[in-house]
Amino acid sequence: MTPAKISEIFRRFQEHNPKPQTELEYTNPYTLLVAVTLSAQATDVGVNKATKTLFKVVDTPQKMLDLGEEGLKGYIKTIGLYNAKAKNIMAAATILVDEFEGQVPSNREDLERLAGVGRKTANVVLNVAFGEPTMAVDTHIFRVSNRLGLTAGKTPLAVELQLEKIIPTEYRLHAHHWLILHGRYICKARKPDCPNCFLADLCEFPDKTK
């Protein structure tokens, strides 16, 4: 795909949604970290239902430790893998209190030291909480990027690195949200809504729906 075509794709994304936002609800970097940890293999809607009441009680790592693992489970038991997620969230809270004075670090290396935090979660926190132009490749971004013809990656990391190379600088901050939302509402997994896609004429996907 040519640089001009890539630039036009992201220009249209910006035109349709100038300031995209995460659909996870949060109040500060710590609650964002918790929400993103909970969102693995779960929907944002499901996470928001659970955290709506949780975040009224807990908004710092110390308050999470005060709540305790069993107390946390009571709030998140509707979310898949909640036992493992509760254990990771408590372990991360301990590290944040003991080593970072209760503050969420703003660099990838320290974030990835936290239990339950991998590259994708770190990228989301860096992007949303700290305004870094990171690319958190989830299933939506992986699918949309390859379908459009922006990338030809076989792994999330390959797609991430390819996108970082080709996306014009002025669009990088919001690119990950544009691609996620496009995959969630237009370029769906089973049946992409190609007739209503504002990128259809630029898309190189050979099996467009009619």
Side-chain angles (χ1 to χ4, degrees):
M1 184 174 283
T2 65
K5 201 171 179 181
I6 293 167
S7 185
E8 175 61 13
I9 285 173
F10 286 95
R11 187 199 68 77
R12 291 188 194 179
F13 273 134
Q14 184 177 62
E15 181 179 65
H16 279 77
N17 190 357
K19 293 185 177 180
Q21 303 290 325
T22 179
E23 293 186 325
L24 287 172
E25 295 171 1
Y26 68 100
T27 60
N28 59 24
Y30 178 65
T31 54
L32 173 66
L33 176 66
V34 172
V36 178
T37 301
L38 291 172
S39 70
Q41 299 181 49
T43 66
D44 288 1
V45 172
V47 172
N48 290 340
K49 284 181 180 178
T51 59
K52 186 174 184 179
T53 51
L54 172 64
F55 291 160
K56 290 177 182 177
V57 178
V58 171
D59 60 1
T60 68
Q62 185 58 59
K63 288 180 183 178
M64 185 65 77
L65 294 177
D66 294 341
L67 177 64
E69 188 173 328
E70 291 306 312
L72 172 59
K73 287 179 183 179
Y75 287 96
I76 66 170
K77 60 188 176 183
T78 56
I79 298 174
L81 307 175
Y82 75 93
N83 283 312
K85 291 175 181 179
K87 188 178 294 294
N88 283 334
I89 288 169
M90 300 309 295
T94 298
I95 296 172
L96 289 171
V97 169
D98 291 348
E99 300 183 30
F100 297 100
E101 299 181 342
Q103 301 299 309
V104 176
S106 58
N107 66 83
R108 184 194 308 281
E109 183 180 359
D110 286 337
L111 282 168
E112 290 188 8
R113 289 177 54 204
L114 303 175
V117 177
R119 186 178 182 89
K120 185 177 75 172
T121 297
N123 278 344
V124 174
V125 173
L126 290 170
N127 180 268
V128 176
F130 300 110
E132 296 288 336
T134 52
M135 182 62 60
V137 177
D138 67 352
T139 56
H140 294 303
I141 292 182
F142 186 82
R143 179 179 69 255
V144 171
S145 298
N146 284 330
R147 269 188 185 166
L148 279 170
L150 290 169
T151 62
K154 297 190 182 303
T155 67
L157 180 58
V159 168
E160 176 186 338
L161 297 177
Q162 288 177 34
L163 288 172
E164 286 179 348
K165 283 184 178 180
I166 65 169
I167 297 173
T169 304
E170 64 268 31
Y171 299 124
R172 285 182 190 165
L173 179 61
H174 295 311
H176 120 260
H177 279 123
W178 285 324
L179 291 166
I180 285 174
L181 296 172
H182 198 66
R184 194 169 283 169
Y185 298 110
I186 300 292
C187 196
K188 301 173 187 177
R190 292 186 179 178
K191 189 178 180 182
D193 189 9
C194 301
N196 290 309
C197 177
F198 56 86
L199 301 175
D201 60 313
L202 300 171
C203 176
E204 297 181 359
F205 184 51
D207 301 319
K208 293 185 179 71
T209 56
K210 304 298 183 184

